[in-house]
Amino acid sequence: MDQGRAPVRFEHVVRRFRSVVALDDLCLDIAAGEFITLLGPSGSGKTTALNILAGFDRATSGEVVIGERAVGALPPEKRNVGMVFQSFALFPHMSVFENVAFPLRMRKVNSSEVKARVFRALEMVQLTGFGDRRPAALSGGQRQRVALARAVVAEPPVLLMDESLSALDLKLREELQEEIRRLHRDLGTTVLFVTHDQGEALTLSDRVALMNRGRICQLGTPDALYDRPANRFVADFIGRTNIVPVDGDGHNASVGLETVAEHAVALSIRPEKLRRVRGQGDIVFDAVVQDVAFKGATMELRLRTSSGLILRMSEPRTGGQSAPALGETIRIGFAPHDATPLYE
């Protein structure tokens, strides 16, 4: 499908529910054709932002702009956005074909065009030949594909997805992630995706806006949030990490740290950055093995330093290294540049 795309802007959007501030001066620019994920814990404001953009809710103040048009006063049907819900929201009494065709019927598209566009949409989500089936006859993954086809069949310039994969099991979620990435490449539409699953956000997004308490804590590419978290909340929320406290001069004697960053309050060290095979220039220290867990491609070690600090290390099962014994003291190293200073 060859379709337009539109940029989206949140301009100082505030949403209050009596004394609760759900969105606190949200400002966000999304480029045309970009895939942005709003990520955060429950109550962070991400779904509120999506609902305001979709027209299901109204901002207390501020404005939302799609393309060059302010849409804050428009009803949902006038905003020309596609929507994929967590619950699929398919009509059970309609066939797959009629479910996908529904947005086109509402727009009074002629029958021959409806047929051609529905067939193209079903082909895109790999459901060719499923048009006569009812939703009840489909698997969860197939129903979500129908919901995707329905959302894109009208070729909206903006596609909104609200926790769209959370109802599926892990294998289906991973399959649908690949499907969504391919659809985005093929369509080029602007996508705003909402999830609380950080792995999903890192896999799908051009950029991720990590939200907490109605504000964006950090906005950037997935690798920037993972490798260079702005603060302790980001480091904790994105993946797993070790938070190593340091004093005002950047010291932590138990892991051999000298001055790393002035005024830092802690360091974030990812488990995979700790290693038994040390490189030149590594910071090294001793730790006692408290637990070893087999994870397939990796071994996960729980370590205790001389000061009692608990660290987790993820070690690939390559190179012929055997698992250390419980209670064994091992030498650990990490590169100084793999320790990210945290200032709050």
Side-chain angles (χ1 to χ4, degrees):
M1 292 181 185
D2 184 19
Q3 63 165 46
R5 58 182 78 179
V8 172
R9 289 198 314 277
F10 290 85
E11 298 179 343
H12 301 285
V13 173
V14 174
R15 181 62 169 108
R16 294 189 183 91
F17 297 93
R18 297 185 178 179
S19 62
V20 177
V21 180
L23 287 179
D24 188 4
D25 195 34
L26 176 64
C27 294
L28 176 63
D29 284 324
I30 304 172
E34 189 174 20
F35 195 122
I36 287 276
T37 294
L38 300 183
L39 173 68
S42 298
S44 60
K46 57 190 187 297
T47 296
T48 300
L50 190 81
N51 286 338
I52 288 173
L53 178 56
F56 302 143
D57 194 10
R58 296 286 294 271
T60 305
S61 62
E63 186 56 271
V64 176
V65 179
I66 298 177
E68 299 303 321
R69 182 174 65 157
V71 299
L74 296 178
E77 65 272 16
K78 299 292 186 182
R79 300 193 181 198
N80 195 23
V81 299
M83 187 82 184
V84 183
F85 300 93
Q86 176 182 347
S87 61
F88 313 144
L90 302 177
F91 298 112
H93 63 287
M94 290 184 180
S95 67
V96 166
F97 182 97
E98 288 303 328
N99 266 283
V100 177
F102 184 78
L104 302 177
R105 305 277 195 217
M106 293 297 98
R107 290 168 170 80
K108 311 296 184 186
V109 177
N110 69 70
S111 295
S112 60
E113 180 70 8
V114 167
K115 185 175 181 179
R117 288 169 71 170
V118 170
F119 283 167
R120 285 204 305 273
L122 290 176
E123 182 181 15
M124 289 187 71
V125 298
Q126 300 180 21
L127 287 179
T128 299
F130 283 72
D132 293 333
R133 300 192 190 185
R134 296 287 178 90
L138 305 177
S139 68
Q142 289 169 337
R143 288 198 294 272
Q144 192 59 289
R145 282 186 164 92
V146 175
L148 276 170
R150 184 181 59 188
V152 303
V153 72
E155 303 180 4
V158 178
L159 179 62
L160 310 180
M161 306 185 73
D162 185 15
E163 302 277 8
S164 304
L165 307 183
S166 62
L168 305 176
D169 64 35
L170 177 60
K171 189 173 188 306
L172 277 176
R173 283 206 308 273
E174 291 175 345
E175 290 176 1
L176 264 294
Q177 286 171 14
E178 293 178 5
E179 200 73 24
I180 290 167
R181 290 176 65 189
R182 182 183 60 79
L183 275 173
H184 181 245
R185 287 195 300 268
D186 292 347
L187 295 172
T189 192
T190 306
V191 178
L192 186 63
F193 188 90
V194 163
T195 185
H196 63 274
D197 185 317
Q198 49 90 12
E200 206 164 79
L202 298 180
T203 298
L204 291 170
S205 314
D206 295 322
R207 288 190 298 160
V208 177
L210 179 56
M211 299 186 67
N212 191 36
R213 298 179 180 178
R215 287 181 169 268
I216 294 176
C217 299
Q218 187 171 348
L219 172 65
T221 59
D223 61 311
L225 267 70
Y226 187 84
D227 292 331
R228 298 180 296 281
N231 53 49
R232 184 169 184 150
F233 173 78
V234 178
D236 266 337
F237 197 89
I238 300 290
R240 297 186 307 144
T241 195
N242 296 296
I243 302 295
V244 179
V246 295
D247 63 24
D249 296 320
H251 298 160
N252 185 301
S254 69
V255 295
L257 284 174
E258 299 297 334
T259 300
V260 175
E262 191 177 2
H263 306 307
V265 297
L267 299 173
S268 168
I269 307 174
R270 299 291 182 185
E272 68 273 15
K273 300 300 184 182
L274 299 176
R275 51 183 177 259
R276 285 190 282 169
V277 178
R278 298 178 298 280
Q280 187 173 6
D282 272 8
I283 293 170
V284 297
F285 60 96
D286 291 329
V288 177
V289 178
Q290 292 201 314
D291 189 35
V292 179
F294 172 74
K295 298 287 186 178
T298 62
M299 282 188 299
E300 305 291 315
L301 278 61
R302 187 172 185 266
L303 309 170
R304 180 174 52 80
T305 69
S306 60
S307 68
L309 180 67
I310 300 300
L311 300 173
R312 286 171 173 78
M313 182 172 80
S314 178
E315 185 173 78
R317 296 178 63 240
T318 57
Q321 280 199 111
S322 58
L326 297 185
E328 181 182 348
T329 298
I330 59 175
R331 197 82 166 148
I332 300 297
F334 65 92
H337 60 78
D338 287 332
T340 303
L342 304 175
Y343 297 94
E344 57 176 301

